[in-house]
Amino acid sequence: MEFHSASRQNGTNVDYISDADRVKIVSMRHVIEKEDPASKVADDATLRRFLYARESNVQNASELYLKYSKWRQTFVPHGYISETVITNELKKNLACMQGFDKEGRPIAVVILNRHKPCYNALEELKRYFVYSFDKMSSSTSREQEKFAIIADLEGWSYKHVDIRGYLAILEILQSYYPERLGKLYIIHLPYIFWAAWNMVYPFIDKRTREKVVLVEKKDIRTTLLNDIDESQLPEIYGGDLPLVPIQDAVVPNVPPN
């Protein structure tokens, strides 16, 4: 399935930057370019995401961006994650991506019963989610920078619980993709979910917590249709779109030339 910018509507125009934000972005540039000359390639919209993630505190936002830049240079040295280094994870079809919500955010579905913890494969799992977050981010537009995720726990049991993996993915999302998550729906909650949730919850920052929606089974369709048109909703939730494994979703300029 190919993603086209014409499908994205109702997003916030990131081309508009207030005078107050622009002053702070200029200050950020002075800080980060002094420490990392390669940061000159960062555009204003990117720096604003880091600024918002740190409550408009220039110093904290600069530190977060420099952490991101250093990580990106070491973890993604070629600019993208090659599918050849995540073949085991790709076989699981853990993440799928298709459609857009009513705010123009691309939608990803993560089917968690397709993952089981394997401690010697944590690095590949991390690379798989960087690959996925990159692809989801690239399917956004200048008018809407965020994506939405449906985390489906149907059939999820003790054998699927991977706290170490969840915390690693959460760290990547919060530190290296700030202000990319628009909403996270967690659905089909089994009883054992709450034990795992209580372990992970303290590591979720305030801004991310505000985007998490825990959905009871009886409310899944109503909740999703409130934010997603039926034409853009996956078939498994009563919509019109088939699930498309994320590696099969065609996004312009992914991988980059």
Side-chain angles (χ1 to χ4, degrees), residues 74-106:
T74 55
F75 201 81
V76 196
H78 303 297
Y80 67 98
I81 299 293
S82 170
E83 293 182 358
T84 61
V85 301
I86 53 171
T87 54
N88 294 321
E89 292 298 326
L90 290 174
K91 291 175 184 176
K92 300 176 184 177
N93 289 334
L94 175 61
C96 301
M97 186 171 70
Q98 64 282 301
F100 294 82
D101 70 10
K102 293 177 182 179
E103 293 193 20
R105 297 178 294 216

Coordinates of all heavy atoms in Angstrom, one line a residue, residues 74-106:
T74 N 25.4 6.8 15.5 CA 26.0 5.5 15.9 C 25.0 4.3 15.6 O 25.4 3.3 15.1 CB 26.4 5.4 17.3 OG1 25.2 5.8 18.1 CG2 27.5 6.4 17.6
F75 N 23.7 4.5 15.9 CA 22.8 3.4 15.7 C 22.2 3.3 14.3 O 21.9 2.2 13.8 CB 21.6 3.6 16.7 CG 20.8 2.4 16.9 CD1 21.3 1.5 17.9 CD2 19.6 2.1 16.3 CE1 20.5 0.3 18.1 CE2 18.9 1.0 16.5 CZ 19.4 0.1 17.5
V76 N 22.2 4.5 13.6 CA 21.7 4.5 12.2 C 22.7 5.2 11.3 O 22.4 6.2 10.7 CB 20.3 5.2 12.1 CG1 19.6 4.8 10.8 CG2 19.4 4.8 13.3
P77 N 23.9 4.7 11.2 CA 25.0 5.4 10.6 C 24.8 5.6 9.1 O 25.4 6.6 8.5 CB 26.3 4.5 10.8 CG 25.7 3.1 11.0 CD 24.4 3.3 11.7
H78 N 24.0 4.8 8.4 CA 23.8 5.0 7.0 C 22.5 5.8 6.7 O 22.1 5.9 5.5 CB 23.7 3.6 6.3 CG 24.9 2.7 6.5 ND1 26.2 3.1 6.1 CD2 25.0 1.5 7.2 CE1 27.0 2.1 6.4 NE2 26.4 1.2 7.1
G79 N 21.9 6.2 7.7 CA 20.7 7.1 7.5 C 19.4 6.3 7.6 O 18.3 6.9 7.6
Y80 N 19.5 5.0 7.5 CA 18.3 4.1 7.6 C 18.7 2.7 8.0 O 19.8 2.4 7.9 CB 17.6 4.1 6.2 CG 18.3 3.4 5.1 CD1 18.1 2.0 4.8 CD2 19.3 4.0 4.4 CE1 18.8 1.3 3.8 CE2 20.0 3.3 3.4 CZ 19.8 2.0 3.1 OH 20.5 1.3 2.2
I81 N 17.7 2.0 8.5 CA 17.9 0.6 8.9 C 17.6 -0.3 7.7 O 16.5 -0.3 7.2 CB 17.0 0.2 10.1 CG1 17.3 1.1 11.3 CG2 17.2 -1.3 10.4 CD1 18.7 0.9 11.9
S82 N 18.6 -1.1 7.3 CA 18.4 -2.0 6.2 C 17.6 -3.2 6.6 O 17.7 -3.7 7.7 CB 19.8 -2.5 5.7 OG 19.6 -3.5 4.7
E83 N 16.7 -3.6 5.7 CA 15.8 -4.8 6.1 C 16.7 -6.0 6.2 O 16.3 -7.0 6.9 CB 14.8 -5.0 5.0 CG 13.7 -3.9 5.0 CD 12.6 -4.1 3.9 OE1 12.7 -5.1 3.2 OE2 11.7 -3.2 3.8
T84 N 17.9 -6.0 5.7 CA 18.8 -7.2 5.8 C 19.2 -7.5 7.2 O 19.6 -8.6 7.5 CB 20.0 -7.1 4.9 OG1 20.7 -5.9 5.3 CG2 19.6 -6.9 3.4
V85 N 19.2 -6.5 8.1 CA 19.6 -6.7 9.5 C 18.5 -6.9 10.4 O 18.7 -7.1 11.6 CB 20.5 -5.5 10.0 CG1 21.7 -5.3 9.1 CG2 19.6 -4.2 10.0
I86 N 17.2 -7.0 9.9 CA 16.1 -7.2 10.8 C 15.2 -8.3 10.2 O 14.0 -8.3 10.4 CB 15.3 -5.9 11.0 CG1 14.9 -5.3 9.7 CG2 16.0 -4.9 11.9 CD1 13.9 -4.1 9.8
T87 N 15.8 -9.2 9.5 CA 15.0 -10.3 8.8 C 14.2 -11.1 9.8 O 13.0 -11.5 9.4 CB 15.9 -11.2 8.0 OG1 17.0 -11.7 8.8 CG2 16.6 -10.4 6.9
N88 N 14.7 -11.4 10.9 CA 14.0 -12.3 11.9 C 12.7 -11.5 12.4 O 11.6 -12.1 12.5 CB 14.8 -12.7 13.1 CG 16.0 -13.6 12.7 OD1 15.8 -14.5 11.8 ND2 17.2 -13.4 13.2
E89 N 12.9 -10.2 12.7 CA 11.7 -9.5 13.1 C 10.7 -9.2 12.0 O 9.5 -9.3 12.3 CB 12.2 -8.1 13.7 CG 13.0 -8.2 15.0 CD 12.2 -8.9 16.1 OE1 11.0 -8.6 16.2 OE2 12.8 -9.6 16.9
L90 N 11.1 -9.0 10.8 CA 10.2 -8.8 9.7 C 9.3 -10.0 9.5 O 8.2 -9.9 9.1 CB 11.0 -8.5 8.4 CG 11.7 -7.1 8.4 CD1 12.5 -6.9 7.1 CD2 10.7 -6.0 8.5
K91 N 9.8 -11.2 9.7 CA 9.1 -12.4 9.5 C 7.8 -12.5 10.4 O 6.9 -13.2 10.1 CB 9.9 -13.7 9.7 CG 11.0 -13.9 8.7 CD 11.9 -15.0 9.1 CE 13.1 -15.2 8.1 NZ 14.0 -16.3 8.5
K92 N 7.9 -11.8 11.5 CA 6.8 -11.9 12.5 C 5.6 -11.0 12.0 O 4.5 -11.2 12.6 CB 7.3 -11.4 13.8 CG 8.4 -12.2 14.4 CD 8.9 -11.5 15.7 CE 10.1 -12.2 16.4 NZ 10.5 -11.5 17.6
N93 N 5.8 -10.1 11.1 CA 4.7 -9.1 10.8 C 4.1 -8.5 12.0 O 2.9 -8.4 12.2 CB 3.7 -9.8 9.9 CG 4.2 -10.1 8.5 OD1 5.1 -9.5 8.0 ND2 3.6 -11.1 7.9
L94 N 5.0 -8.1 12.9 CA 4.6 -7.5 14.2 C 3.9 -6.2 14.0 O 2.9 -5.9 14.7 CB 5.8 -7.4 15.1 CG 5.7 -6.7 16.5 CD1 4.7 -7.5 17.3 CD2 7.0 -6.5 17.2
A95 N 4.4 -5.3 13.1 CA 3.8 -4.0 12.9 C 3.3 -3.9 11.5 O 3.9 -4.4 10.5 CB 4.9 -2.9 13.1
C96 N 2.1 -3.3 11.4 CA 1.5 -3.1 10.1 C 1.2 -1.6 10.0 O 1.1 -0.9 11.0 CB 0.2 -3.9 10.0 SG 0.4 -5.7 10.1
M97 N 1.0 -1.1 8.8 CA 0.7 0.3 8.6 C -0.2 0.6 7.4 O 0.1 0.1 6.3 CB 2.0 1.1 8.4 CG 1.9 2.6 8.4 SD 3.5 3.5 8.4 CE 4.1 3.1 6.8
Q98 N -1.3 1.2 7.6 CA -2.2 1.6 6.5 C -3.2 2.6 7.0 O -3.6 2.6 8.2 CB -2.9 0.4 6.0 CG -3.9 -0.3 7.0 CD -3.2 -1.2 8.0 OE1 -2.5 -2.1 7.6 NE2 -3.3 -0.9 9.2
G99 N -3.6 3.5 6.1 CA -4.6 4.5 6.4 C -4.1 5.7 7.3 O -3.0 5.7 7.8
F100 N -5.1 6.7 7.4 CA -4.8 7.9 8.2 C -6.1 8.2 9.0 O -7.2 7.9 8.7 CB -4.6 9.1 7.2 CG -3.3 9.0 6.4 CD1 -3.3 8.2 5.3 CD2 -2.2 9.6 6.9 CE1 -2.1 8.1 4.5 CE2 -1.0 9.5 6.1 CZ -1.0 8.7 5.0
D101 N -5.8 8.8 10.2 CA -7.0 9.1 11.1 C -7.5 10.5 10.6 O -7.1 11.1 9.6 CB -6.6 9.1 12.5 CG -5.7 10.2 13.0 OD1 -5.4 11.1 12.2 OD2 -5.1 10.2 14.1
K102 N -8.5 10.9 11.3 CA -9.2 12.1 10.9 C -8.4 13.4 11.0 O -8.7 14.4 10.5 CB -10.5 12.3 11.8 CG -11.6 11.2 11.5 CD -12.8 11.4 12.4 CE -13.8 10.3 12.1 NZ -15.0 10.4 13.0
E103 N -7.3 13.3 11.7 CA -6.3 14.4 11.8 C -5.2 14.3 10.9 O -4.2 15.1 10.9 CB -5.8 14.6 13.3 CG -6.9 15.0 14.2 CD -6.4 15.4 15.6 OE1 -5.2 15.8 15.7 OE2 -7.2 15.4 16.6
G104 N -5.2 13.3 10.0 CA -4.2 13.1 9.0 C -3.0 12.4 9.5 O -1.9 12.4 8.8
R105 N -3.1 11.7 10.6 CA -2.0 11.0 11.2 C -1.9 9.5 10.6 O -3.0 8.9 10.6 CB -2.0 10.9 12.7 CG -2.0 12.2 13.4 CD -2.1 12.1 14.9 NE -3.4 11.7 15.3 CZ -4.0 12.2 16.4 NH1 -3.4 13.1 17.2 NH2 -5.2 11.7 16.8
P106 N -0.8 9.1 10.0 CA -0.7 7.7 9.6 C -1.0 6.7 10.7 O -0.6 7.0 11.9 CB 0.7 7.6 9.0 CG 1.4 8.7 9.6 CD 0.5 9.8 9.9

